Structure formats: C-alpha cells, structure tokens
C-alpha cells in the first residue's frame, strides 16, 4: 500500500482514483506562487498587438521599431510603447547598431512557446 503524501489534510477525505497522479499534479503547481508567476508571464501573449510584434520579431530576428511598424501596419508610437512593455517584462531584449536599436526575443518561456508555433 502506498501513501498519497502530497494531499493536504483538508482534502484527504475526497475520493481518489489514482493517488500517484494526484501527487504529480500537486507537485506541478508547487510552490504556491508558481502558477501566478507563469500566468503573469504568459499574459503577455493575450494581447493581439503584443503577440503580432512577437511573431514578427521571431520571424525576422533583430528588427527595429520602424521596420516592425511597416511590417505590422501599426504606427511607430504604438510599436515603441508595446516594445517598452515587452522589454520591461523581459520578453524582448535590444541590441544597438549605431543609432538603430533592434529588438529580439529574450530567452525564456515566451520565446520557447513561440518556437513551437
């Protein structure tokens, strides 16, 4: 007989079909703040403008604000403000080429998700 070691006491009276799977599921959401942190990271993808820019950056590699504006049909200000948000969220990084700043995907969970697309 095995023990279902990760189930909190207040849930121990619930019907369990496969205790090992229950423990695996509980372990996947630990520590408690992990789900909230992931939700915040992935919320970046919930906005069509941000997602459009990220798809373009993934396809083109390092690319400037002006070039992204032309590619997407968005105005430069919208692109610039959106990239500022994505940079603060550490989803994109920059590289300077003289006076031109180009944006690229930063390593992380969002880049990994976009790679699967």
């Amino acid at each position: 007989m095995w023990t279902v070691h990760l189930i909190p006491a207040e849930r121990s009276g619930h019907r369990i079909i496969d205790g090992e799977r229950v423990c695996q599921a509980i372990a996947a959401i630990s520590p408690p703040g992990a789900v909230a942190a992931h939700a915040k990271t992935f919320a970046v993808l919930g906005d069509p403008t941000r997602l459009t820019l990220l798809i373009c950056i993934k396809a083109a590699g390092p690319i400037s604000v002006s070039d992204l504006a032309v590619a997407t049909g968005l105005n430069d200000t919208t692109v610039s403000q959106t990239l500022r948000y994505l940079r603060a969220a550490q989803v994109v990084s920059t590289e300077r080429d003289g006076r031109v700043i180009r944006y690229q995907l930063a390593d992380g969970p969002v880049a990994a998700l976009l790679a699967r697309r």
Side-chain angles (χ1 to χ4, degrees):
M1 183 88 183
W2 49 272
T3 1
V4 183
H5 64 284
L6 294 178
I7 297 178
E10 67 272 7
R11 288 185 247 154
S12 63
H14 290 245
R15 182 178 140 214
I16 298 170
I17 294 170
D18 188 335
E20 184 176 349
R21 290 186 190 273
V22 171
C23 288
Q24 289 170 341
I26 291 170
I29 57 175
S30 294
V35 172
H38 280 67
K40 185 177 178 182
T41 299
F42 296 133
V44 167
L45 301 173
D47 175 74
T49 300
R50 292 190 298 253
L51 184 55
T52 299
L53 291 174
L54 290 169
I55 290 168
C56 288
I57 293 168
K58 176 191 171 271
I63 186 169
S64 70
V65 169
S66 305
D67 291 345
L68 280 168
V70 172
T72 61
L74 299 167
N75 66 48
D76 285 14
T77 304
T78 300
V79 172
S80 183
Q81 290 172 351
T82 304
L83 289 171
R84 187 176 310 127
Y85 173 87
L86 293 171
R87 191 171 181 196
Q90 299 178 342
V91 176
V92 297
S93 60
T94 60
E95 66 179 37
R96 182 176 286 279
D97 182 15
R99 292 179 51 177
V100 176
I101 296 175
R102 290 190 168 88
Y103 290 82
Q104 59 199 4
L105 289 178
D107 289 336
V110 172
L113 274 178
L114 289 171
R116 295 181 188 188
R117 185 180 174 277

